[in-house]
């Protein structure tokens, strides 16, 4: 099986021999991805043989169909005429019209196996190690509604020293109106 791009490479290689192109110049010599999808939608070419995720996979018959379509178009036939002629065509009939070199009909290397995504919801959740108990936080009132949280239990002397060290910060907060007492008075 081939992906669409691999199929189009084989179509291009098959058409390099004995292919003059469309006589009116309005038809592409090699179909593009969009054309192949359109051909499959309209029934000119079989739908993909399989899907691998969102990737369509094609086989030998698709190669024969696409090359046959292009060879008939190079004779000046319209798509409607081509579709009428190829409707229900066997692989033998398609091979006679397409004249694809044997080497291109051989399947290439099998597509790589699609990576299997883990089923995260099916596995039990590993229980994380318990976090060490956090030291209790205690608040030291700084004035104006500001409170400093510290781990452990500060003494009265610690609270006085912290309040003195925080004076420049409290002045800045007061100047910007960020303390409770400052907001209430304005």
């Amino acid at each position: 099986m081939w992906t669409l791009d691999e199929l189009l490479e084989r179509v291009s290689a098959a058409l390099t021999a004995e292919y003059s192109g469309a006589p009116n110049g309005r038809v592409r010599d090699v179909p593009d991805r969009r054309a192949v999808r359109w051909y499959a939608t309209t029934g000119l070419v079989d739908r993909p043989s399989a899907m691998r995720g969102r990737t369509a996979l094609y086989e030998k018959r698709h190669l024969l169909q696409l090359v046959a379509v292009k060879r008939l178009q190079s004779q000046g036939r319209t798509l409607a005429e081509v579709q009428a002629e190829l409707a229900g065509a066997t692989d033998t009939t398609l091979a006679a019209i397409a004249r694809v070199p044997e080497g291109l009909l051989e399947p290439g290397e099998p597509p790589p196996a699609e990576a299997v995504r883990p089923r995260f919801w099916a596995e039990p959740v590993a229980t994380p190690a318990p976090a060490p108990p956090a030291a209790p936080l205690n608040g030291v009132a700084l004035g104006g509604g500001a409170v400093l949280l510290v781990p452990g239990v500060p003494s009265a002397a610690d609270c006085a020293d912290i309040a003195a060290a925080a004076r420049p910060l409290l002045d800045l907060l007061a100047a910007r109106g960020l303390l409770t007492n400052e907001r209430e008075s304005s």
Side-chain angles (χ1 to χ4, degrees):
M1 292 201 173
W2 306 300
T3 64
L4 183 53
D5 290 332
E6 293 166 340
L7 174 67
L8 291 176
E9 286 174 15
R10 288 176 184 264
V11 169
S12 177
L15 290 174
T16 57
E18 306 174 30
Y19 182 66
S20 59
N24 61 10
R26 293 179 20 205
V27 177
R28 291 178 184 261
D29 288 339
V30 178
D32 60 6
R33 299 170 65 112
R34 188 174 179 189
V36 173
R37 289 186 192 108
W38 173 250
Y39 292 167
T41 300
T42 60
L44 191 60
V45 172
D46 294 345
R47 293 204 176 270
S49 298
M51 297 294 287
R52 184 178 64 216
R54 294 182 58 191
T55 303
L57 299 175
Y58 300 86
E59 296 181 290
K60 172 184 166 182
R61 180 169 174 82
H62 297 98
L63 175 61
L64 293 173
Q65 288 174 320
L66 288 169
V67 175
V69 166
K70 286 300 167 184
R71 294 220 189 265
L72 293 173
Q73 280 185 313
S74 73
Q75 297 171 4
R77 298 190 187 167
T78 66
L79 276 181
E81 293 169 336
V82 171
Q83 189 170 22
E85 183 171 341
L86 296 181
T90 64
D91 286 356
T92 305
T93 304
L94 290 170
I97 296 169
R99 300 182 311 275
V100 174
E102 279 300 317
L104 294 175
L105 293 173
E106 299 301 319
E109 294 181 16
E114 191 171 350
V116 177
R117 290 189 288 181
R119 296 177 35 187
F120 66 90
W121 62 89
E123 299 295 324
V125 176
T127 306
L137 295 178
N138 290 292
V140 177
L142 300 178
V147 177
L148 175 67
L149 294 177
V150 294
V153 181
S155 66
D158 291 333
C159 291
D161 290 342
I162 291 171
R167 179 58 32 213
L169 175 61
L170 292 172
D171 292 342
L172 174 68
L173 293 174
R176 297 201 176 171
L178 297 174
L179 293 178
T180 309
N181 293 345
E182 302 301 319
R183 285 188 195 170
E184 293 172 358
S185 63
S186 45

PDB file of all heavy atoms in Angstrom, residues 133-149:
ATOM      1  N   PRO A 133       5.535  17.843  55.640  1.00  0.00           N
ATOM      2  CA  PRO A 133       4.600  18.796  56.235  1.00  0.00           C
ATOM      3  C   PRO A 133       5.209  20.201  56.219  1.00  0.00           C
ATOM      4  O   PRO A 133       6.378  20.398  56.519  1.00  0.00           O
ATOM      5  CB  PRO A 133       4.406  18.279  57.659  1.00  0.00           C
ATOM      6  CG  PRO A 133       5.534  17.337  57.912  1.00  0.00           C
ATOM      7  CD  PRO A 133       5.996  16.846  56.580  1.00  0.00           C
ATOM      8  N   ALA A 134       4.384  21.142  55.810  1.00  0.00           N
ATOM      9  CA  ALA A 134       4.842  22.529  55.742  1.00  0.00           C
ATOM     10  C   ALA A 134       4.898  23.102  57.154  1.00  0.00           C
ATOM     11  O   ALA A 134       4.067  22.780  58.007  1.00  0.00           O
ATOM     12  CB  ALA A 134       3.886  23.356  54.895  1.00  0.00           C
ATOM     13  N   ALA A 135       5.877  23.949  57.329  1.00  0.00           N
ATOM     14  CA  ALA A 135       5.980  24.613  58.632  1.00  0.00           C
ATOM     15  C   ALA A 135       4.798  25.560  58.754  1.00  0.00           C
ATOM     16  O   ALA A 135       4.424  26.221  57.792  1.00  0.00           O
ATOM     17  CB  ALA A 135       7.290  25.380  58.713  1.00  0.00           C
ATOM     18  N   PRO A 136       4.203  25.629  59.906  1.00  0.00           N
ATOM     19  CA  PRO A 136       3.054  26.533  60.053  1.00  0.00           C
ATOM     20  C   PRO A 136       3.509  27.976  59.859  1.00  0.00           C
ATOM     21  O   PRO A 136       4.599  28.361  60.246  1.00  0.00           O
ATOM     22  CB  PRO A 136       2.569  26.265  61.477  1.00  0.00           C
ATOM     23  CG  PRO A 136       3.752  25.683  62.188  1.00  0.00           C
ATOM     24  CD  PRO A 136       4.554  24.972  61.144  1.00  0.00           C
ATOM     25  N   LEU A 137       2.650  28.730  59.189  1.00  0.00           N
ATOM     26  CA  LEU A 137       2.948  30.144  58.973  1.00  0.00           C
ATOM     27  C   LEU A 137       2.239  30.974  60.033  1.00  0.00           C
ATOM     28  O   LEU A 137       1.099  30.702  60.389  1.00  0.00           O
ATOM     29  CB  LEU A 137       2.493  30.575  57.572  1.00  0.00           C
ATOM     30  CG  LEU A 137       3.210  29.931  56.394  1.00  0.00           C
ATOM     31  CD1 LEU A 137       2.616  30.417  55.082  1.00  0.00           C
ATOM     32  CD2 LEU A 137       4.697  30.231  56.434  1.00  0.00           C
ATOM     33  N   ASN A 138       2.937  31.974  60.479  1.00  0.00           N
ATOM     34  CA  ASN A 138       2.352  32.903  61.446  1.00  0.00           C
ATOM     35  C   ASN A 138       2.470  34.299  60.879  1.00  0.00           C
ATOM     36  O   ASN A 138       3.452  34.640  60.220  1.00  0.00           O
ATOM     37  CB  ASN A 138       3.094  32.816  62.786  1.00  0.00           C
ATOM     38  CG  ASN A 138       2.793  31.495  63.479  1.00  0.00           C
ATOM     39  OD1 ASN A 138       1.669  31.276  63.904  1.00  0.00           O
ATOM     40  ND2 ASN A 138       3.784  30.627  63.570  1.00  0.00           N
ATOM     41  N   GLY A 139       1.484  35.114  61.151  1.00  0.00           N
ATOM     42  CA  GLY A 139       1.480  36.473  60.654  1.00  0.00           C
ATOM     43  C   GLY A 139       2.038  37.454  61.667  1.00  0.00           C
ATOM     44  O   GLY A 139       1.755  37.362  62.855  1.00  0.00           O
ATOM     45  N   VAL A 140       2.840  38.378  61.160  1.00  0.00           N
ATOM     46  CA  VAL A 140       3.367  39.463  61.987  1.00  0.00           C
ATOM     47  C   VAL A 140       2.733  40.737  61.449  1.00  0.00           C
ATOM     48  O   VAL A 140       2.950  41.117  60.303  1.00  0.00           O
ATOM     49  CB  VAL A 140       4.911  39.544  61.896  1.00  0.00           C
ATOM     50  CG1 VAL A 140       5.426  40.728  62.699  1.00  0.00           C
ATOM     51  CG2 VAL A 140       5.552  38.249  62.349  1.00  0.00           C
ATOM     52  N   ALA A 141       1.888  41.379  62.272  1.00  0.00           N
ATOM     53  CA  ALA A 141       1.215  42.606  61.850  1.00  0.00           C
ATOM     54  C   ALA A 141       2.237  43.726  61.761  1.00  0.00           C
ATOM     55  O   ALA A 141       3.002  43.972  62.689  1.00  0.00           O
ATOM     56  CB  ALA A 141       0.111  42.964  62.840  1.00  0.00           C
ATOM     57  N   LEU A 142       2.258  44.415  60.585  1.00  0.00           N
ATOM     58  CA  LEU A 142       3.217  45.496  60.367  1.00  0.00           C
ATOM     59  C   LEU A 142       2.561  46.858  60.503  1.00  0.00           C
ATOM     60  O   LEU A 142       3.244  47.872  60.521  1.00  0.00           O
ATOM     61  CB  LEU A 142       3.844  45.363  58.973  1.00  0.00           C
ATOM     62  CG  LEU A 142       4.608  44.071  58.706  1.00  0.00           C
ATOM     63  CD1 LEU A 142       5.116  44.059  57.276  1.00  0.00           C
ATOM     64  CD2 LEU A 142       5.749  43.907  59.685  1.00  0.00           C
ATOM     65  N   GLY A 143       1.249  46.896  60.520  1.00  0.00           N
ATOM     66  CA  GLY A 143       0.538  48.161  60.605  1.00  0.00           C
ATOM     67  C   GLY A 143      -0.100  48.482  59.268  1.00  0.00           C
ATOM     68  O   GLY A 143       0.369  48.054  58.211  1.00  0.00           O
ATOM     69  N   GLY A 144      -1.176  49.237  59.301  1.00  0.00           N
ATOM     70  CA  GLY A 144      -1.866  49.630  58.071  1.00  0.00           C
ATOM     71  C   GLY A 144      -2.509  48.466  57.350  1.00  0.00           C
ATOM     72  O   GLY A 144      -2.810  48.562  56.170  1.00  0.00           O
ATOM     73  N   GLY A 145      -2.696  47.346  58.018  1.00  0.00           N
ATOM     74  CA  GLY A 145      -3.321  46.183  57.388  1.00  0.00           C
ATOM     75  C   GLY A 145      -2.330  45.250  56.733  1.00  0.00           C
ATOM     76  O   GLY A 145      -2.704  44.193  56.242  1.00  0.00           O
ATOM     77  N   ALA A 146      -1.034  45.593  56.700  1.00  0.00           N
ATOM     78  CA  ALA A 146      -0.028  44.714  56.112  1.00  0.00           C
ATOM     79  C   ALA A 146       0.361  43.651  57.120  1.00  0.00           C
ATOM     80  O   ALA A 146       0.536  43.935  58.302  1.00  0.00           O
ATOM     81  CB  ALA A 146       1.197  45.522  55.693  1.00  0.00           C
ATOM     82  N   VAL A 147       0.492  42.424  56.610  1.00  0.00           N
ATOM     83  CA  VAL A 147       0.868  41.301  57.456  1.00  0.00           C
ATOM     84  C   VAL A 147       1.981  40.546  56.736  1.00  0.00           C
ATOM     85  O   VAL A 147       1.891  40.260  55.551  1.00  0.00           O
ATOM     86  CB  VAL A 147      -0.330  40.356  57.699  1.00  0.00           C
ATOM     87  CG1 VAL A 147       0.088  39.157  58.519  1.00  0.00           C
ATOM     88  CG2 VAL A 147      -1.469  41.107  58.375  1.00  0.00           C
ATOM     89  N   LEU A 148       3.020  40.223  57.481  1.00  0.00           N
ATOM     90  CA  LEU A 148       4.127  39.437  56.950  1.00  0.00           C
ATOM     91  C   LEU A 148       3.990  38.026  57.490  1.00  0.00           C
ATOM     92  O   LEU A 148       3.849  37.832  58.695  1.00  0.00           O
ATOM     93  CB  LEU A 148       5.471  40.042  57.405  1.00  0.00           C
ATOM     94  CG  LEU A 148       6.720  39.240  57.023  1.00  0.00           C
ATOM     95  CD1 LEU A 148       6.914  39.245  55.512  1.00  0.00           C
ATOM     96  CD2 LEU A 148       7.934  39.781  57.730  1.00  0.00           C
ATOM     97  N   LEU A 149       3.985  37.035  56.570  1.00  0.00           N
ATOM     98  CA  LEU A 149       3.881  35.644  56.976  1.00  0.00           C
ATOM     99  C   LEU A 149       5.286  35.082  57.139  1.00  0.00           C
ATOM    100  O   LEU A 149       6.125  35.209  56.250  1.00  0.00           O
ATOM    101  CB  LEU A 149       3.109  34.833  55.938  1.00  0.00           C
ATOM    102  CG  LEU A 149       1.639  35.205  55.767  1.00  0.00           C
ATOM    103  CD1 LEU A 149       1.003  34.371  54.662  1.00  0.00           C
ATOM    104  CD2 LEU A 149       0.874  35.028  57.068  1.00  0.00           C
TER     105      LEU A 149
END
